[in-house]
Amino acid sequence: MKKNRNVYLSIGSNIGDKFFNILNAIFELNNLNDSFVVRISKLYKTEPYGYLEQDYFINVGIWLKTKLLPYELLDEIGKIELKLKRKREIKWGPRTIDIDIIFYENIKVDRTDLQIPHKEYKKRNFVLHPLKDIYYNKNILKYYSKASGRVEIYKNFDKILVSSCLLGINCKYNGGNNSRKFLKEFLKKFCIVSICPEQLGGLSTPRVPAERFGEKVVNKKGEDVSLEFYNGAKEAGKIAKVTNAKYAMLKAKSPSCGFGKIYDGSFTGRLINGNGVAADFLEKKGIKIFSV
């Protein structure tokens, strides 16, 4: 039986919405089979390494627990980079996302396509500084004075709206929550604003479960609760504007917060392509959404 292994990763981005790319990569890693994010380092603004004619990077270190073997993990990382539109055109050149395996417990690999520990980590401040936030190893402290590249803590990230139920707040229709353990790390590192559009729209907790059916939202008793859902979406939009939030982590599949896939209105568990009412509203306001 495979056991959980401690893996330390370096993530960087310097094309497009760098912060959004970093968040996307963290979510994708946490969603890998038999894997979860344990800890996230501070974010760092770093100068380019090797090829200098490019924009600054945002870098972060991730402590991941996984049952994936090194080459299985490398394959999944490649899929994530492809999904996030990484292009390999210039060595050490600009990229939407770059994910490197730095350590995989005490395992050593020395192949053309994979070296563990990463062969360049000792030279790179953009790896060493995030690494010290998540992995203490006195044997690597000696490399800091010799590593190159200017590094400073990145402080300009925007606020993130998060569905309250994901944070462990009991606002789900049945009075419970949909707590996600790894979001505790987000609470420590990022500026998060908790929202529950259903409650903002005047619905109580607990409440009768509801699903979106076209432009309407109807609960399991057949009652039309569209007004409450649309009012809640507008209130969420007001909060986004007041707090200057640019991103949202929303509960998957729900008639309010679902993004990309929602229940089809039949209360049978079937999914269809579409967004919940609040997710729709926020996306139209330019908010970038993650489905959790």
Side-chain angles (χ1 to χ4, degrees), residues 12-14 18 44-59 92-95 123-127 129-130 147-154:
S13 174
N14 79 329
K18 305 176 185 74
Y44 291 86
K45 180 179 178 180
T46 67
E47 66 180 10
Y49 178 89
Y51 179 74
L52 302 181
E53 299 300 316
Q54 56 181 315
D55 199 6
Y56 72 87
F57 279 79
I58 297 178
N59 284 93
W92 294 327
R95 65 211 72 176
K123 305 175 184 178
R124 299 174 171 181
N125 271 326
F126 69 81
V127 173
H129 281 262
S148 63
R150 187 166 56 85
V151 172
E152 60 185 78
I153 293 175
Y154 183 77

Side-chain angles (χ1 to χ4, degrees), residues 6-12 22-23 25-30 36-43 59-65 73 98-103 126-127 130-135 182 185-186 189-190:
N6 293 303
V7 181
Y8 299 91
L9 306 170
S10 173
I11 304 176
I22 293 288
L23 292 178
I26 294 171
F27 272 102
E28 292 291 339
L29 289 165
N30 191 73
F36 61 93
V37 171
V38 179
R39 191 165 297 162
I40 304 168
S41 77
K42 301 182 187 74
L43 270 67
N59 284 93
V60 67
I62 299 295
W63 172 7
L64 183 76
K65 276 192 178 288
L73 179 58
D98 183 25
I99 307 172
D100 288 328
I101 303 171
I102 307 303
F103 297 114
F126 69 81
V127 173
L131 190 61
K132 69 178 170 53
D133 294 340
I134 58 172
Y135 174 66
F182 87 104
E185 278 296 295
F186 277 79
K189 299 297 187 305
F190 307 125

Side-chain angles (χ1 to χ4, degrees), residues 33 39 51 66 79-80 84 91 93 99 108 112 162 164-165 168 170 177 198 207 226 236 241 255 259 265 284 291-292:
N33 289 334
R39 191 165 297 162
Y51 179 74
T66 184
K79 292 176 184 176
I80 293 171
L84 299 184
K91 184 177 181 180
I99 307 172
K108 294 184 178 182
T112 303
V162 180
S164 301
C165 62
N170 293 328
N177 63 70
E198 290 95 326
R207 55 189 172 272
S226 303
K241 184 176 181 179
F259 185 69
K284 288 173 182 175
S291 184
V292 182

